Amino acid sequence: MRAQDTIAAIATPPGVGGIAILRLSGPEAERILTALCGRARWESHRLYYCRLRHAGRTLDEAMAVLMRAPRSYTRQDVAEIQCHGGEVVCRNVLEAALALGARPAQPGEFTRRAFENGRIDLAQAEAAMRLIGAQGEAAAREALRQMEGSVSRGVHAACDRLNAMLSEIAACTDFPDEIEEAPTARALCAQAKELAAALRAACDARRGRVLEQGLNVVLCGAPNVGKSSLLNALLGEARAIVTAQPGTTRDAVRGSLFLDGVRVHLTDTAGLRETEGEAEAIGVARAREAAEAADVLLLVLDGTRAPDARERELLAQTQRQARLVLLNKCDLPQAEGLPEGLAVSALTGEGIDALRDALRAMTATTRQDGALLTQARHVEAAQRAAGFLDEMAGALEAGLPVDFAAVDAREALAALGEITGENAEEQIVDAVFRHFCVGK
Ligand code: GDP
């Protein structure tokens, strides 16, 4: 019902700019466009020059286009008017459209109509929003891939396999005399396990988080090993375009840079300071927390001396974490008995490129698997589906009748349907679109 309203919004960001775009979608779009532009005949997808007039007054000179249904973003009639990008002009043009019968669009409502009219699915709608908000080249690339349907294709393939399994179950229960149950159950069990494994393998929520929020890299080590010097060396010329501000406390300095289009946040911690006073103790505790929250730890040692007891302890403690051991000050004579690590010099820059390469490898976003699920919402649903498939395999292994397995298969199908929105509750859909901007 709501889709019968004609909605309007300024689709460009607020503020002053060369042009701004008013967007309209709905059955009244053409009438409102005609009234505003004073042109009676519109060829679809053609740009026209016109003078915008309303209530006896000229508002602006503009270019306008009508995209008739279904060849439009929303699959409804869509009109876009490119007017001058001033706040007063925008407001006047939008108010005129509203006075002519449109209502203000809610956040994401154009995209929601595209979803509800079947032009895109929910995963694609989410990707469109991530593309707009992408912070780095890699995040934008991934969003574009998902907008073009990479997630949807993977989900559809899994659903096809589930539907095929359901047909086998149906055949088995419908023709008990012709189809033997035991071999069918064995085959179905193997298929369920295989699909569960494939779904789990397709999930990589960490990658999604790294793409959108960046990789957290924490430098830790004893005082004076050269952590802050290394941080500065890593930021390098990037310093001019990144923010490197002193931390709120004297124990942390931050900065960020892009590696292969992925934002990398660097934090330098006070590390293993002797805990004499209370403030020092807090600094150390904070450093430990930062180290634990890190995606990658850069454990910095001073290559001119052998590691002391604390450093050896730190080496042992962080063994299981994603980390790089750096032997700094390689420009000076090196000590005996150093652990394995990457020789670098914050002073001369030696080894810094190799360090960047090693970090780049650890961003691990170069994988190009077709149907990788990177969004928390998608990963959760896929894992739930995999759980139902586990239960299905379990039931079949336990020798329960095959139609028991059908119940689990349908649950798995429903969970997968949430990803594309084919089977999403209204509240899931609402939650997705709530974060959109107006005009999208
Ligand atoms: P932090 O306490 O670990 O942050 O260490 P700093 O970055 O403040 O460095 C401690 C001292 O070591 C400073 O005097 C630096 O100039 C020096 N330093 C840092 N890196 C190098 C290096 O690669 N070579 C040499 N020779 N000195 C370095």
Side-chain angles (χ1 to χ4, degrees):
M1 240 175 63
R2 278 192 327 169
Q4 287 313 307
D5 295 348
T6 295
I7 52 173
I10 301 292
T12 39
V16 176
I19 56 170
I21 297 178
L22 172 82
R23 198 182 221 183
L24 290 155
S25 175
E28 297 291 304
E30 181 167 354
R31 183 186 58 76
I32 295 170
L33 188 69
T34 298
L36 268 174
C37 301
R39 157 180 286 281
R41 291 163 60 86
W42 294 84
E43 201 179 306
S44 189
H45 293 79
R46 203 188 132 175
L47 200 60
Y48 294 94
Y49 165 82
C50 48
R51 296 174 79 81
L52 303 179
R53 287 180 61 79
H54 181 62
R57 166 164 104 92
T58 300
L59 304 178
D60 197 5
E61 282 179 41
M63 300 299 292
V65 59
L66 175 69
M67 290 161 276
R68 284 205 181 88
R71 287 176 56 219
S72 72
Y73 186 63
T74 60
R75 281 205 173 156
Q76 299 183 307
D77 283 354
V78 168
E80 287 181 6
I81 298 174
Q82 302 176 2
C83 57
H84 284 97
E87 283 179 37
V88 177
V89 175
C90 284
R91 194 171 55 234
N92 286 343
V93 174
L94 177 60
E95 276 173 5
L98 300 181
L100 287 163
R103 74 155 165 82
Q106 288 164 5
E109 200 171 0
F110 291 94
T111 306
R112 184 165 189 153
R113 288 187 172 188
F115 163 65
E116 279 167 359
N117 293 329
R119 200 181 76 80
I120 54 173
D121 66 28
L122 202 54
Q124 288 173 304
E126 288 170 298
M129 188 183 64
R130 286 201 308 283
L131 180 61
I132 294 172
Q135 292 260 326
E137 202 55 54
R141 260 197 316 269
E142 177 66 24
L144 190 62
R145 230 155 53 83
Q146 296 195 1
M147 204 174 82
E148 287 172 344
S150 65
V151 167
S152 318
R153 277 191 298 276
V155 168
H156 285 150
C159 289
D160 287 349
R161 285 168 72 176
L162 272 163
N163 279 318
M165 286 153 88
L166 278 166
S167 318
E168 271 185 65
I169 294 171
C172 201
T173 46
D174 290 351
F175 308 103
D177 301 335
E178 288 153 51
I179 302 172
E180 261 193 279
E181 189 160 321
T184 308
R186 268 197 303 280
L188 283 171
C189 180
Q191 287 170 33
K193 283 182 179 172
E194 206 183 288
L195 186 53
L199 284 173
R200 290 196 170 101
C203 292
D204 192 347
R206 177 184 178 273
R207 177 163 180 249
R209 191 179 56 72
V210 167
L211 282 178
E212 270 151 61
Q213 293 163 24
L215 189 81
N216 283 315
V217 175
V218 172
L219 290 99
C220 71
N224 288 320
V225 294
K227 295 181 297 301
S228 15
S229 308
L230 274 171
L231 184 125
N232 287 332
L234 271 170
L235 293 178
E237 312 98 283
R239 232 172 196 293
I241 53 159
V242 299
T243 48
Q245 74 274 14
T248 43
T249 59
R250 67 197 166 92
D251 58 9
V253 183
R254 294 163 196 278
S256 69
L257 71 156
F258 280 100
L259 286 178
D260 276 353
V262 178
R263 191 186 276 279
V264 176
H265 304 280
L266 295 169
T267 309
D268 162 25
T269 65
L272 310 172
R273 209 178 273 132
E274 291 295 328
T275 57
E276 282 155 20
E278 200 183 332
E280 306 283 348
I282 293 169
V284 171
R286 203 170 284 145
R288 191 151 293 155
E289 263 169 44
E292 274 161 16
D295 293 308
V296 176
L297 203 61
L298 298 184
L299 204 165
V300 187
L301 299 173
D302 182 338
T304 64
R305 57 169 178 79
D308 63 19
R310 272 171 172 284
E311 288 172 323
R312 285 198 302 273
E313 192 190 320
L314 189 67
L315 277 162
Q317 268 173 6
T318 57
Q319 217 162 16
R320 286 168 193 279
Q321 247 179 303
R323 70 163 195 202
L324 291 171
V325 175
L326 303 180
L327 309 172
N328 190 33
K329 311 194 186 180
C330 72
D331 53 295
L332 298 174
Q334 298 293 286
E336 298 284 318
L338 290 172
E340 246 185 74
L342 188 63
V344 294
S345 168
L347 192 71
T348 65
E350 200 181 328
I352 299 296
D353 280 344
L355 171 55
R356 278 207 195 92
D357 286 344
L359 274 177
R360 201 172 276 141
M362 291 179 104
T363 61
T365 56
T366 43
R367 280 171 63 181
Q368 286 289 320
D369 312 4
L372 214 57
L373 302 175
T374 56
Q375 295 304 299
R377 191 182 78 77
H378 303 170
V379 166
E380 188 279 322
Q383 280 171 345
R384 200 149 26 85
F388 286 119
L389 284 159
D390 290 345
E391 279 174 32
M392 178 177 176
L396 291 165
E397 261 167 359
L400 294 174
V402 285
D403 45 350
F404 273 61
V407 177
D408 294 315
R410 282 196 202 93
E411 294 276 16
L413 211 48
L416 290 177
E418 284 177 24
I419 298 176
T420 49
E422 271 143 71
N423 191 28
E425 312 245 334
E426 188 77 6
Q427 69 211 55
I428 296 179
V429 178
D430 286 345
V432 165
F433 287 102
R434 197 171 303 138
H435 304 292
F436 272 64
C437 43
V438 171
K440 183 59 194 168

PDB file of all heavy atoms in Angstrom, residues 5 13 16 41 49 65 74 84 129 140 147 153 176 183 213 280 310 316 324 344 364 368 382 385:
ATOM      1  N   ASP A   5       2.399   5.341  -2.657  1.00  0.00           N
ATOM      2  CA  ASP A   5       2.770   6.742  -2.470  1.00  0.00           C
ATOM      3  C   ASP A   5       3.886   7.077  -3.439  1.00  0.00           C
ATOM      4  O   ASP A   5       4.683   6.219  -3.789  1.00  0.00           O
ATOM      5  CB  ASP A   5       3.373   6.964  -1.072  1.00  0.00           C
ATOM      6  CG  ASP A   5       2.369   6.721   0.035  1.00  0.00           C
ATOM      7  OD1 ASP A   5       1.170   6.610  -0.275  1.00  0.00           O
ATOM      8  OD2 ASP A   5       2.800   6.636   1.193  1.00  0.00           O
ATOM      9  N   PRO A  13      24.217  14.813  -0.946  1.00  0.00           N
ATOM     10  CA  PRO A  13      24.408  15.208   0.457  1.00  0.00           C
ATOM     11  C   PRO A  13      24.052  16.675   0.686  1.00  0.00           C
ATOM     12  O   PRO A  13      24.139  17.475  -0.239  1.00  0.00           O
ATOM     13  CB  PRO A  13      25.904  14.959   0.702  1.00  0.00           C
ATOM     14  CG  PRO A  13      26.517  14.802  -0.623  1.00  0.00           C
ATOM     15  CD  PRO A  13      25.458  14.448  -1.598  1.00  0.00           C
ATOM     16  N   VAL A  16      26.435  22.897   0.116  1.00  0.00           N
ATOM     17  CA  VAL A  16      26.502  23.609  -1.152  1.00  0.00           C
ATOM     18  C   VAL A  16      27.315  22.794  -2.145  1.00  0.00           C
ATOM     19  O   VAL A  16      28.352  22.233  -1.797  1.00  0.00           O
ATOM     20  CB  VAL A  16      27.171  24.989  -0.934  1.00  0.00           C
ATOM     21  CG1 VAL A  16      27.348  25.718  -2.252  1.00  0.00           C
ATOM     22  CG2 VAL A  16      26.347  25.811   0.030  1.00  0.00           C
ATOM     23  N   ARG A  41       5.426  16.131 -22.641  1.00  0.00           N
ATOM     24  CA  ARG A  41       5.790  14.799 -23.149  1.00  0.00           C
ATOM     25  C   ARG A  41       7.207  14.438 -22.740  1.00  0.00           C
ATOM     26  O   ARG A  41       8.146  15.201 -22.951  1.00  0.00           O
ATOM     27  CB  ARG A  41       5.671  14.773 -24.678  1.00  0.00           C
ATOM     28  CG  ARG A  41       4.218  14.875 -25.141  1.00  0.00           C
ATOM     29  CD  ARG A  41       4.168  15.272 -26.598  1.00  0.00           C
ATOM     30  NE  ARG A  41       4.855  14.294 -27.437  1.00  0.00           N
ATOM     31  CZ  ARG A  41       4.272  13.199 -27.907  1.00  0.00           C
ATOM     32  NH1 ARG A  41       3.014  12.955 -27.648  1.00  0.00           N
ATOM     33  NH2 ARG A  41       4.949  12.361 -28.657  1.00  0.00           N
ATOM     34  N   TYR A  49      16.428  19.762 -20.757  1.00  0.00           N
ATOM     35  CA  TYR A  49      16.673  21.034 -20.082  1.00  0.00           C
ATOM     36  C   TYR A  49      15.312  21.658 -19.769  1.00  0.00           C
ATOM     37  O   TYR A  49      14.406  21.613 -20.598  1.00  0.00           O
ATOM     38  CB  TYR A  49      17.475  21.952 -21.011  1.00  0.00           C
ATOM     39  CG  TYR A  49      17.467  23.379 -20.542  1.00  0.00           C
ATOM     40  CD1 TYR A  49      18.342  23.807 -19.549  1.00  0.00           C
ATOM     41  CD2 TYR A  49      16.551  24.298 -21.069  1.00  0.00           C
ATOM     42  CE1 TYR A  49      18.309  25.111 -19.092  1.00  0.00           C
ATOM     43  CE2 TYR A  49      16.514  25.602 -20.615  1.00  0.00           C
ATOM     44  CZ  TYR A  49      17.391  25.998 -19.623  1.00  0.00           C
ATOM     45  OH  TYR A  49      17.349  27.285 -19.166  1.00  0.00           O
ATOM     46  N   VAL A  65      15.093  14.058 -15.920  1.00  0.00           N
ATOM     47  CA  VAL A  65      14.959  12.786 -16.640  1.00  0.00           C
ATOM     48  C   VAL A  65      13.844  11.966 -16.003  1.00  0.00           C
ATOM     49  O   VAL A  65      13.657  11.989 -14.789  1.00  0.00           O
ATOM     50  CB  VAL A  65      16.309  12.019 -16.631  1.00  0.00           C
ATOM     51  CG1 VAL A  65      16.790  11.733 -15.224  1.00  0.00           C
ATOM     52  CG2 VAL A  65      16.204  10.700 -17.406  1.00  0.00           C
ATOM     53  N   THR A  74      13.908   1.655  -8.808  1.00  0.00           N
ATOM     54  CA  THR A  74      12.889   1.072  -7.920  1.00  0.00           C
ATOM     55  C   THR A  74      11.916   0.166  -8.661  1.00  0.00           C
ATOM     56  O   THR A  74      11.052  -0.443  -8.049  1.00  0.00           O
ATOM     57  CB  THR A  74      12.053   2.179  -7.255  1.00  0.00           C
ATOM     58  OG1 THR A  74      11.415   2.920  -8.301  1.00  0.00           O
ATOM     59  CG2 THR A  74      12.912   3.109  -6.416  1.00  0.00           C
ATOM     60  N   HIS A  84      20.491  23.295  -9.159  1.00  0.00           N
ATOM     61  CA  HIS A  84      21.708  23.851  -8.576  1.00  0.00           C
ATOM     62  C   HIS A  84      21.824  23.397  -7.133  1.00  0.00           C
ATOM     63  O   HIS A  84      20.821  23.309  -6.425  1.00  0.00           O
ATOM     64  CB  HIS A  84      21.708  25.378  -8.683  1.00  0.00           C
ATOM     65  CG  HIS A  84      22.027  25.831 -10.068  1.00  0.00           C
ATOM     66  ND1 HIS A  84      21.051  26.167 -10.975  1.00  0.00           N
ATOM     67  CD2 HIS A  84      23.209  25.935 -10.709  1.00  0.00           C
ATOM     68  CE1 HIS A  84      21.629  26.492 -12.120  1.00  0.00           C
ATOM     69  NE2 HIS A  84      22.948  26.351 -11.991  1.00  0.00           N
ATOM     70  N   MET A 129      24.462  -0.121   0.301  1.00  0.00           N
ATOM     71  CA  MET A 129      24.716   0.828   1.367  1.00  0.00           C
ATOM     72  C   MET A 129      26.193   0.798   1.777  1.00  0.00           C
ATOM     73  O   MET A 129      26.793   1.830   2.047  1.00  0.00           O
ATOM     74  CB  MET A 129      23.835   0.526   2.564  1.00  0.00           C
ATOM     75  CG  MET A 129      23.965   1.623   3.588  1.00  0.00           C
ATOM     76  SD  MET A 129      23.016   1.289   5.054  1.00  0.00           S
ATOM     77  CE  MET A 129      23.813  -0.170   5.654  1.00  0.00           C
ATOM     78  N   ALA A 140      35.203  -1.191  -0.928  1.00  0.00           N
ATOM     79  CA  ALA A 140      34.345  -0.797  -2.044  1.00  0.00           C
ATOM     80  C   ALA A 140      34.265  -1.915  -3.082  1.00  0.00           C
ATOM     81  O   ALA A 140      33.191  -2.227  -3.601  1.00  0.00           O
ATOM     82  CB  ALA A 140      34.869   0.488  -2.682  1.00  0.00           C
ATOM     83  N   MET A 147      27.030  -6.408  -4.380  1.00  0.00           N
ATOM     84  CA  MET A 147      25.889  -5.711  -4.968  1.00  0.00           C
ATOM     85  C   MET A 147      25.522  -6.355  -6.298  1.00  0.00           C
ATOM     86  O   MET A 147      24.359  -6.401  -6.690  1.00  0.00           O
ATOM     87  CB  MET A 147      26.250  -4.242  -5.178  1.00  0.00           C
ATOM     88  CG  MET A 147      25.066  -3.326  -5.237  1.00  0.00           C
ATOM     89  SD  MET A 147      25.607  -1.622  -5.313  1.00  0.00           S
ATOM     90  CE  MET A 147      25.966  -1.477  -7.045  1.00  0.00           C
ATOM     91  N   ARG A 153      24.150 -15.356  -5.404  1.00  0.00           N
ATOM     92  CA  ARG A 153      24.385 -16.545  -6.227  1.00  0.00           C
ATOM     93  C   ARG A 153      24.781 -17.736  -5.361  1.00  0.00           C
ATOM     94  O   ARG A 153      24.284 -18.843  -5.556  1.00  0.00           O
ATOM     95  CB  ARG A 153      25.477 -16.269  -7.277  1.00  0.00           C
ATOM     96  CG  ARG A 153      24.938 -15.569  -8.512  1.00  0.00           C
ATOM     97  CD  ARG A 153      25.977 -15.567  -9.632  1.00  0.00           C
ATOM     98  NE  ARG A 153      27.183 -14.832  -9.254  1.00  0.00           N
ATOM     99  CZ  ARG A 153      27.297 -13.502  -9.360  1.00  0.00           C
ATOM    100  NH1 ARG A 153      26.308 -12.784  -9.832  1.00  0.00           N
ATOM    101  NH2 ARG A 153      28.417 -12.907  -8.996  1.00  0.00           N
ATOM    102  N   PRO A 176       7.582 -45.581  -1.600  1.00  0.00           N
ATOM    103  CA  PRO A 176       8.382 -46.442  -0.717  1.00  0.00           C
ATOM    104  C   PRO A 176       8.706 -47.796  -1.345  1.00  0.00           C
ATOM    105  O   PRO A 176       9.727 -48.405  -1.004  1.00  0.00           O
ATOM    106  CB  PRO A 176       7.507 -46.593   0.528  1.00  0.00           C
ATOM    107  CG  PRO A 176       6.133 -46.215   0.103  1.00  0.00           C
ATOM    108  CD  PRO A 176       6.260 -45.281  -1.041  1.00  0.00           C
ATOM    109  N   PRO A 183      19.875 -46.664   1.269  1.00  0.00           N
ATOM    110  CA  PRO A 183      20.894 -45.999   0.439  1.00  0.00           C
ATOM    111  C   PRO A 183      20.591 -44.516   0.252  1.00  0.00           C
ATOM    112  O   PRO A 183      21.499 -43.691   0.220  1.00  0.00           O
ATOM    113  CB  PRO A 183      20.810 -46.724  -0.910  1.00  0.00           C
ATOM    114  CG  PRO A 183      19.938 -47.902  -0.696  1.00  0.00           C
ATOM    115  CD  PRO A 183      19.157 -47.715   0.552  1.00  0.00           C
ATOM    116  N   GLN A 213      36.111  -1.949   8.936  1.00  0.00           N
ATOM    117  CA  GLN A 213      36.636  -1.173  10.053  1.00  0.00           C
ATOM    118  C   GLN A 213      38.145  -1.067  10.051  1.00  0.00           C
ATOM    119  O   GLN A 213      38.710  -0.270  10.779  1.00  0.00           O
ATOM    120  CB  GLN A 213      36.167  -1.791  11.375  1.00  0.00           C
ATOM    121  CG  GLN A 213      34.659  -1.648  11.526  1.00  0.00           C
ATOM    122  CD  GLN A 213      34.107  -2.588  12.579  1.00  0.00           C
ATOM    123  OE1 GLN A 213      34.828  -3.004  13.470  1.00  0.00           O
ATOM    124  NE2 GLN A 213      32.852  -2.922  12.460  1.00  0.00           N
ATOM    125  N   GLU A 280      51.765   3.505  35.932  1.00  0.00           N
ATOM    126  CA  GLU A 280      52.529   2.579  35.099  1.00  0.00           C
ATOM    127  C   GLU A 280      51.794   1.245  34.979  1.00  0.00           C
ATOM    128  O   GLU A 280      51.694   0.671  33.908  1.00  0.00           O
ATOM    129  CB  GLU A 280      53.922   2.320  35.708  1.00  0.00           C
ATOM    130  CG  GLU A 280      54.719   3.572  35.992  1.00  0.00           C
ATOM    131  CD  GLU A 280      55.319   4.157  34.727  1.00  0.00           C
ATOM    132  OE1 GLU A 280      55.297   3.469  33.703  1.00  0.00           O
ATOM    133  OE2 GLU A 280      55.789   5.301  34.775  1.00  0.00           O
ATOM    134  N   ARG A 310      61.488 -10.656  30.576  1.00  0.00           N
ATOM    135  CA  ARG A 310      60.143 -10.187  30.231  1.00  0.00           C
ATOM    136  C   ARG A 310      59.834 -10.387  28.758  1.00  0.00           C
ATOM    137  O   ARG A 310      58.732 -10.761  28.384  1.00  0.00           O
ATOM    138  CB  ARG A 310      60.049  -8.686  30.498  1.00  0.00           C
ATOM    139  CG  ARG A 310      59.635  -8.346  31.874  1.00  0.00           C
ATOM    140  CD  ARG A 310      59.802  -6.850  32.063  1.00  0.00           C
ATOM    141  NE  ARG A 310      59.236  -6.488  33.332  1.00  0.00           N
ATOM    142  CZ  ARG A 310      57.941  -6.383  33.556  1.00  0.00           C
ATOM    143  NH1 ARG A 310      57.092  -6.594  32.574  1.00  0.00           N
ATOM    144  NH2 ARG A 310      57.481  -6.086  34.745  1.00  0.00           N
ATOM    145  N   ALA A 316      56.760 -15.953  24.375  1.00  0.00           N
ATOM    146  CA  ALA A 316      56.059 -17.217  24.610  1.00  0.00           C
ATOM    147  C   ALA A 316      54.549 -17.003  24.674  1.00  0.00           C
ATOM    148  O   ALA A 316      53.780 -17.753  24.082  1.00  0.00           O
ATOM    149  CB  ALA A 316      56.562 -17.847  25.906  1.00  0.00           C
ATOM    150  N   LEU A 324      54.083 -10.564  14.226  1.00  0.00           N
ATOM    151  CA  LEU A 324      55.372 -10.506  13.549  1.00  0.00           C
ATOM    152  C   LEU A 324      56.382 -10.079  14.598  1.00  0.00           C
ATOM    153  O   LEU A 324      56.133  -9.148  15.361  1.00  0.00           O
ATOM    154  CB  LEU A 324      55.352  -9.451  12.440  1.00  0.00           C
ATOM    155  CG  LEU A 324      54.483  -9.714  11.212  1.00  0.00           C
ATOM    156  CD1 LEU A 324      54.428  -8.456  10.340  1.00  0.00           C
ATOM    157  CD2 LEU A 324      55.057 -10.880  10.406  1.00  0.00           C
ATOM    158  N   VAL A 344      64.690  -4.956  10.934  1.00  0.00           N
ATOM    159  CA  VAL A 344      64.266  -3.640  10.436  1.00  0.00           C
ATOM    160  C   VAL A 344      65.087  -2.550  11.106  1.00  0.00           C
ATOM    161  O   VAL A 344      65.718  -2.778  12.140  1.00  0.00           O
ATOM    162  CB  VAL A 344      62.768  -3.363  10.720  1.00  0.00           C
ATOM    163  CG1 VAL A 344      61.860  -4.294   9.942  1.00  0.00           C
ATOM    164  CG2 VAL A 344      62.469  -3.466  12.210  1.00  0.00           C
ATOM    165  N   ALA A 364      45.031 -10.316   4.321  1.00  0.00           N
ATOM    166  CA  ALA A 364      44.346 -11.488   3.761  1.00  0.00           C
ATOM    167  C   ALA A 364      43.003 -11.149   3.147  1.00  0.00           C
ATOM    168  O   ALA A 364      42.020 -11.828   3.349  1.00  0.00           O
ATOM    169  CB  ALA A 364      44.170 -12.563   4.835  1.00  0.00           C
ATOM    170  N   GLN A 368      39.497 -14.229  -3.510  1.00  0.00           N
ATOM    171  CA  GLN A 368      38.427 -13.820  -4.422  1.00  0.00           C
ATOM    172  C   GLN A 368      37.377 -14.921  -4.574  1.00  0.00           C
ATOM    173  O   GLN A 368      36.731 -15.026  -5.602  1.00  0.00           O
ATOM    174  CB  GLN A 368      39.011 -13.452  -5.789  1.00  0.00           C
ATOM    175  CG  GLN A 368      39.738 -12.109  -5.794  1.00  0.00           C
ATOM    176  CD  GLN A 368      38.797 -10.928  -5.670  1.00  0.00           C
ATOM    177  OE1 GLN A 368      37.731 -10.931  -6.264  1.00  0.00           O
ATOM    178  NE2 GLN A 368      39.155  -9.938  -4.883  1.00  0.00           N
ATOM    179  N   ALA A 382      23.953 -18.293   7.845  1.00  0.00           N
ATOM    180  CA  ALA A 382      24.571 -19.442   7.169  1.00  0.00           C
ATOM    181  C   ALA A 382      24.996 -20.493   8.199  1.00  0.00           C
ATOM    182  O   ALA A 382      24.864 -21.703   7.973  1.00  0.00           O
ATOM    183  CB  ALA A 382      25.773 -18.993   6.342  1.00  0.00           C
ATOM    184  N   ALA A 385      22.008 -22.321   9.340  1.00  0.00           N
ATOM    185  CA  ALA A 385      21.637 -23.304   8.325  1.00  0.00           C
ATOM    186  C   ALA A 385      22.538 -24.538   8.418  1.00  0.00           C
ATOM    187  O   ALA A 385      22.059 -25.685   8.345  1.00  0.00           O
ATOM    188  CB  ALA A 385      21.725 -22.677   6.930  1.00  0.00           C
TER     189      ALA A 385
END
